[in-house]
Amino acid sequence: MRHQVSIIGGGPSGLLLSLLLHRAGIDSVVLERRSREHVLSRIRAGVLEQGLCDMLRAAGVGARMDREGFVHDGTIIAAHGTTVHIDFKKLTGKSVMIYGQTEVTHDLYDELDRIGAPVLHGTEDVTIHGADTDAPYVTFTHDGRSQRVDCDQIAGCDGFHGVSRRSIPASVRREFEHVYPFGWLGILAHTPPVAPELVYSGHERGFALCSMRNANLSRHYLQVPLTDRPEDWSDAAFWAELRRRLPPHLAETLVEGPSIEKSIAPLRSFISEPMSWGRIHLAGDAAHIVPPTGAKGLNLAASDVHYLSRALIAHFAGDDQPLRDYSVTALARVWKASRFSWSMTRMLHEFPTEGEFLARMQATELDYLAHSTAAQTALAENYVGLPY
């Protein structure tokens, strides 16, 4: 096969990049290891920054999001006896959209199918060759046959464990990582949300988050030790612990129900530099991981796709400067979003080994946030998304 761009990874970042390139007349193929059913079964983030919403609309896949999504003009942060409502709309003039990543992926698949853009599922043994030459290619096995794609550029959208980042020589890569000493136990349940907006709650027993997918589908999380397993937590135990960690007036509104999905995710901050080497360009989790506090994972991948799609479009039009600048441009926003996710995590989680000093600092920070418009504006600006 020959395509101008080989996109490795068929999650939302790879699919969105493919769509944007096809809209610009650039030919690409998406290689995804898993089946489409598996990709669509992943339960992931549901808070979309305005920048991502605008990208989806511009790509022609925003209609269902606008019809079925929920616009949130603020969020609630509660900890150490302080409850603060952060009014995004008032402070920044922007909002966020509650619309599940699975639904975004559905919309992208539907449009790529409609325009006939190739997405190959079940690709195994994907290997990148000649990335530092003028003639890169990718080999893989599909339906039991060895295949090869010759291309001009390669986009690595294949996540933290994918082949793309590992194809950049270790002598070139610098990796920065911070592993948090806890995870998030999450459940999905057919219950109404606790509040009209997301609730971030810090508590001496640990952090809790009350999120939602729609008016009768809630996503809730608890901070738990890394040694815990999902099967250690019955539904009854989860609901009881969540109720303990919420402010009393919100705990009263909590509606319980059977979980339809339950999992534990460890938390880490991770950034790999550079995001480009030769003809390989990384996007999303292939280059960086953020803790879910602050909802930056999918949104940060989207900003990578924004920069990378524009750089590739310019490249095929004869201007290579944006592609040469891609890594530096993308990483500037990556580090800022990672700082925000790290700061939200530090402010709201329990760090038992760090003593009373950190707890007092957290309480002081919440008190400052509650009484400072400047602090609330800074948080709101980061939450709704820094400009591309």
Side-chain angles (χ1 to χ4, degrees):
M1 288 180 276
R2 165 123 195 121
H3 295 275
Q4 288 172 289
V5 180
S6 292
I7 301 173
I8 303 175
S13 57
L15 298 177
L16 179 56
L17 178 61
S18 175
L19 180 57
L20 292 171
L21 294 179
H22 275 86
R23 292 282 193 240
I26 296 168
D27 176 43
S28 70
V29 61
V30 177
L31 308 177
E32 168 55 41
R33 183 170 65 94
R34 299 287 194 167
S35 68
R36 180 179 293 207
E37 293 72 24
H38 179 88
V39 174
L40 290 172
S41 71
R42 296 168 179 162
I43 304 297
R44 293 291 189 269
V47 180
L48 311 185
E49 294 177 356
Q50 186 166 315
L52 173 52
C53 293
D54 291 342
M55 285 178 65
L56 294 173
R57 295 181 186 112
V61 288
R64 191 164 74 97
M65 173 191 70
D66 287 329
R67 186 171 62 250
E68 300 179 10
F70 293 83
V71 176
H72 279 196
D73 291 333
T75 194
I76 298 167
I77 297 178
H80 301 280
T82 300
T83 299
V84 188
H85 178 252
I86 307 297
D87 191 329
F88 303 150
K89 197 71 172 179
K90 178 181 177 181
L91 295 166
T92 70
K94 298 180 181 179
S95 304
V96 295
M97 179 76 75
I98 306 303
Y99 189 65
Q101 177 174 316
T102 301
E103 305 310 316
V104 173
T105 307
H106 264 295
D107 297 340
L108 290 167
Y109 271 139
D110 289 346
E111 185 61 15
L112 289 169
D113 288 345
R114 190 188 70 79
I115 65 176
V119 179
L120 302 183
H121 290 87
T123 58
E124 300 178 341
D125 304 318
V126 174
T127 306
I128 296 171
H129 306 267
D132 57 344
T133 73
D134 292 335
Y137 63 98
V138 179
T139 59
F140 59 96
T141 302
H142 185 244
D143 290 338
R145 294 191 303 118
S146 297
Q147 300 199 41
R148 167 173 168 159
V149 181
D150 293 298
C151 54
D152 298 299
Q153 302 290 336
I154 299 167
C157 305
D158 49 347
F160 182 79
H161 298 289
V163 67
S164 297
R165 185 181 69 257
R166 298 198 307 271
S167 298
I168 299 175
S171 60
V172 174
R173 278 184 280 131
R174 293 191 66 199
E175 297 184 347
F176 306 84
E177 183 174 39
H178 177 71
V179 178
Y180 298 87
F182 43 72
W184 275 18
L185 168 66
I187 71 164
L188 195 67
H190 286 298
T191 57
V194 168
E197 298 170 339
L198 269 64
V199 177
Y200 293 81
S201 183
H203 191 273
E204 62 183 10
R205 296 176 63 91
F207 170 77
L209 170 62
C210 295
S211 183
M212 66 193 72
R213 292 295 176 267
N214 58 48
N216 195 44
L217 187 61
S218 295
R219 183 77 165 155
H220 301 300
Y221 299 91
L222 293 174
Q223 175 187 347
V224 297
L226 289 171
T227 52
D228 281 14
R229 302 170 302 166
E231 54 267 31
D232 296 334
W233 286 83
S234 66
D235 286 356
F238 182 94
W239 292 115
E241 186 60 26
L242 179 60
R243 195 178 296 276
R244 288 187 196 101
R245 298 187 189 185
L246 292 176
H249 71 285
L250 293 174
E252 292 175 1
T253 69
L254 180 64
V255 177
E256 302 178 9
S259 64
I260 57 177
E261 193 270 345
K262 187 182 296 179
S263 59
I264 293 180
L267 271 64
R268 64 155 58 93
S269 296
F270 172 86
I271 299 174
S272 182
E273 298 182 349
M275 289 175 61
S276 287
W277 178 76
R279 301 298 181 100
I280 300 176
H281 314 285
L282 306 180
D285 288 358
H288 44 75
I289 302 285
V290 292
T293 329
K296 291 296 160 221
L298 174 60
N299 292 297
L300 200 49
S303 70
D304 293 344
V305 169
H306 168 82
Y307 296 127
L308 183 54
S309 63
R310 293 195 169 196
L312 288 170
I313 291 168
H315 164 74
F316 288 108
D319 180 6
D320 280 341
Q321 193 59 49
L323 200 55
R324 285 195 291 267
D325 293 342
Y326 167 66
S327 180
V328 172
T329 303
L331 280 168
R333 196 174 189 278
V334 166
W335 278 104
K336 291 184 180 72
S338 298
R339 181 212 66 83
F340 176 68
S341 297
W342 168 82
S343 67
M344 285 279 285
T345 304
R346 292 287 294 180
M347 180 172 66
L348 293 168
H349 288 73
E350 284 296 299
F351 292 81
T353 63
E354 297 197 23
E356 183 64 21
F357 179 81
L358 177 61
R360 293 296 293 270
M361 286 294 102
Q362 289 174 323
T364 302
E365 189 165 0
L366 263 294
D367 182 65
Y368 176 63
L369 182 68
H371 296 95
S372 170
T373 301
Q376 292 179 25
T377 301
L379 191 150
E381 284 178 345
N382 282 271
Y383 198 99
V384 302
L386 298 174
Y388 292 164

